[in-house]
Amino acid sequence: MSPFLFWVFASMMLIFGVAVISNRNPVASALSLVVSFLALAALFISLDAFFIGIIQVLVYAGAIMVLFLFIIMLLDLRAEELRKINWIASAGGVAVALALIVQIFAVVGRFPMAKLPFPPLAGHVLNGVAGPTSDDVHRIGLLLFGNYNLPFQIIGIVILVATIGVVMLSRRETR
């Protein structure tokens, strides 16, 4: 991935992440979180972690956000009223965040491993020589449906029971 696209997706993720906490409307906040998840998935795919990127889209941007929106609509949340901003508390929060960032850079800068480049990923071409290729999805599927078949089936039943419970709890009694 080109550095330009990296910065586009990284800035999208950060901007919409800030929009999640700054929006007063819960639906707009949830949709901002979806865009942030999609930008994160694009970053994973740019690192050739295709499986993690697709799971990010399917599980988080898809299923979890549908659940969040369902809960928002079930609870009938409305936009929060505007309140006065406590500038002293906000300045203190910004100061603590900046101090944390300075500490992180100071600690990471002292580790010699932090200055080394990342090793090449498996399956990439390095200096014209192709490395070993492996299919992440195939290996994870074999592991999931081979060694962990029973827990996978049990989790499916638990999710089905939870879904039925949510539908039963959200039903309105007709009078």
Side-chain angles (χ1 to χ4, degrees):
M1 173 184 271
S2 70
F4 174 72
L5 287 178
F6 168 79
W7 287 109
V8 166
F9 288 127
S11 61
M12 266 180 57
M13 190 176 67
L14 291 175
I15 289 168
F16 282 98
V18 169
V20 168
I21 58 174
S22 64
N23 278 330
R24 299 287 182 185
N25 187 351
V27 175
S29 181
L31 292 177
S32 296
L33 190 59
V34 168
V35 175
S36 181
F37 283 156
L38 291 176
L40 181 63
L43 289 175
F44 278 131
I45 290 173
S46 73
L47 292 171
D48 291 333
F50 299 108
F51 183 74
I52 296 174
I54 296 299
I55 291 298
Q56 179 77 25
V57 171
L58 290 176
V59 173
Y60 289 108
I64 300 296
M65 288 315 302
V66 167
L67 179 68
F68 281 176
L69 288 173
F70 183 73
I71 290 171
I72 288 169
M73 288 185 256
L74 179 67
L75 296 177
D76 196 27
L77 297 176
R78 297 201 180 6
E80 186 178 317
E81 295 178 15
L82 291 176
R83 292 179 283 173
K84 279 183 21 180
I85 296 175
N86 186 352
W87 292 106
I88 296 172
S90 298
V94 168
V96 168
L98 289 176
L100 178 66
I101 289 171
V102 167
Q103 282 292 325
I104 288 173
F105 280 117
V107 169
V108 169
R110 290 197 177 153
F111 286 113
M113 295 289 289
K115 294 180 174 101
L116 296 177
F118 286 112
L121 297 174
H124 286 342
V125 176
L126 183 62
N127 295 332
V129 178
T133 59
S134 63
D135 188 9
D136 284 349
V137 179
H138 181 72
R139 286 190 294 143
I140 291 173
L142 285 177
L143 190 65
L144 190 63
F145 291 113
N147 296 349
Y148 299 106
N149 192 12
L150 181 63
F152 185 70
Q153 298 294 327
I154 291 172
I155 288 173
I157 291 171
V158 168
I159 291 173
L160 176 67
V161 169
T163 305
I164 292 171
V166 166
V167 169
M168 294 301 292
L169 287 174
S170 65
R171 277 189 3 184
R172 303 255 189 232
E173 298 271 339
T174 56
R175 293 179 189 203

